[in-house]
Amino acid sequence: WNQSAAKGLGSKASFLSLVDRCTMAQLGQRLLGVELEALSDAHRALLLRHIVLIYGAARTLTTQAGEEWGKTMADWWLLAVGGTRRYLHLSACK
């Protein structure tokens, strides 16, 4: 490795970290609004991670199982974090 390549990777990692932080903050604000502020940092991070995983799982299931699965797949997913139960409406992102 040369130094310029290492610097390039460091700046890319920094940029991606910033994008991740901003995206997660916006996603949390969209889905939970003021409720987000009531959660501890650990619960907030866990909740947002679960939301991203749910969207990823739904996308993977639709892609792997084909178009028919996508039509019949539940649009509401249970999201239980920090002793609370919420339902995530995938198509509306609510």
Side-chain angles (χ1 to χ4, degrees):
W1 282 72
N2 62 31
Q3 260 187 335
S4 63
K7 284 182 183 178
L9 288 177
S11 61
K12 287 177 186 176
S14 177
F15 172 74
L16 290 174
S17 176
L18 179 61
V19 168
D20 181 62
R21 192 170 51 241
C22 292
T23 303
M24 290 302 209
Q26 291 297 318
L27 180 63
Q29 199 59 36
R30 164 142 185 165
L31 294 173
L32 298 170
V34 294
E35 277 185 80
L36 191 67
E37 296 168 13
L39 297 173
S40 70
D41 287 344
H43 281 130
R44 186 178 311 132
L46 186 60
L47 180 72
L48 292 171
R49 183 171 190 275
H50 280 149
I51 291 168
V52 170
L53 289 173
I54 287 170
Y55 272 100
R59 175 70 177 166
T60 300
L61 289 170
T62 302
T63 302
Q64 289 179 352
E67 192 73 23
E68 280 305 308
W69 171 261
K71 291 178 185 174
T72 60
M73 183 181 67
D75 202 28
W76 292 90
W77 288 55
L78 175 63
L79 182 62
V81 175
T84 63
R85 296 168 59 98
R86 295 173 176 84
Y87 290 91
L88 180 61
H89 191 207
L90 295 185
S91 62
C93 191
K94 293 183 178 179

